[in-house]
Amino acid sequence: MIVRKQIDILPYQEEALRSNADIVYFSAGIGSGKSFTASLWLLQKIIENPGCECMLTANTYQQLMQTSVKMFKEVLDMVGLPYKDVLSGATKRIEVNGCLVYLYSMDNYDSIRGINVSYISIEELSFSTKEAFDVVIGRMRGTKSKDRQMFIAS
């Protein structure tokens, strides 16, 4: 899939988005574009890996829905990429470019067990527990993409 849309970003955002590290830790202050950068990162993975499985998570369900999911959908709209959000039922997700983006909060991390994904975007990890992080990182076992990577914005 080719998406042609000019998006202006700052040098530190570009550096994070270009990283090949297995785990990218993006730490910045309030209003610095962490959620926007995390959404761009997830968009990049979805475009590069049609059919992949991803996870978008935040420390609480409220944070996940009011910030992370809202921003991700705004980025999808900005580039004109169609998607379907399934926000009811047990498996909340966004379907885009043949990919499934599972939506989970880290305050209910036991519900995350059992899925496998290639890409994980975590927001506000510093407010979560080590136990929750251990469960989430254990889910990074997806097989529907060429690599695996985690993006932490906190």
Side-chain angles (χ1 to χ4, degrees):
M1 166 169 285
I2 297 174
V3 175
R4 297 186 195 279
K5 175 75 177 178
Q6 177 71 33
I7 299 174
D8 294 326
I9 58 175
L10 297 169
Y12 64 89
Q13 293 169 311
E14 182 176 0
E15 181 180 353
L17 293 171
R18 290 185 183 273
S19 176
N20 291 323
D22 292 339
I23 299 176
V24 178
Y25 188 81
F26 184 69
S27 179
I30 295 171
S32 60
K34 295 183 301 289
S35 296
F36 181 66
T37 306
S39 294
L40 288 175
W41 175 84
L42 192 53
L43 171 67
Q44 175 181 306
K45 297 303 170 187
I46 287 168
I47 290 171
E48 293 172 352
N49 302 279
C52 68
E53 293 181 317
C54 310
M55 183 190 312
L56 177 56
T57 185
N59 59 316
T60 66
Y61 183 76
Q62 183 176 3
Q63 169 92 33
L64 174 69
M65 299 309 291
Q66 290 181 353
T67 304
S68 307
V69 171
K70 181 178 181 245
M71 178 59 71
F72 182 57
K73 289 167 57 174
E74 286 176 9
V75 166
L76 293 174
D77 290 339
M78 181 187 314
V79 299
L81 197 57
Y83 62 90
K84 175 183 175 188
D85 55 359
V86 180
L87 303 178
S88 61
T91 308
K92 293 171 181 47
R93 65 194 178 278
I94 296 173
E95 300 169 1
V96 56
N97 197 33
C99 299
L100 296 176
V101 180
Y102 298 106
L103 310 173
Y104 286 100
S105 65
M106 293 183 68
D107 60 354
N108 187 16
Y109 60 87
D110 279 332
S111 66
I112 298 171
R113 298 181 193 275
I115 67 165
N116 295 315
V117 298
S118 297
Y119 305 108
I120 301 172
S121 176
I122 303 175
E123 292 203 42
E124 302 300 350
L125 177 64
S126 58
F127 296 107
S128 223
T129 65
K130 182 183 182 321
E131 293 81 14
F133 178 72
D134 289 344
V135 170
V136 170
I137 200 167
R139 306 296 57 183
M140 203 163 66
R141 305 185 295 184
T143 59
K144 297 181 179 181
S145 63
K146 60 186 177 202
D147 61 355
R148 296 180 190 133
Q149 193 177 35
M150 177 181 288
F151 190 94
I152 300 169
S154 193

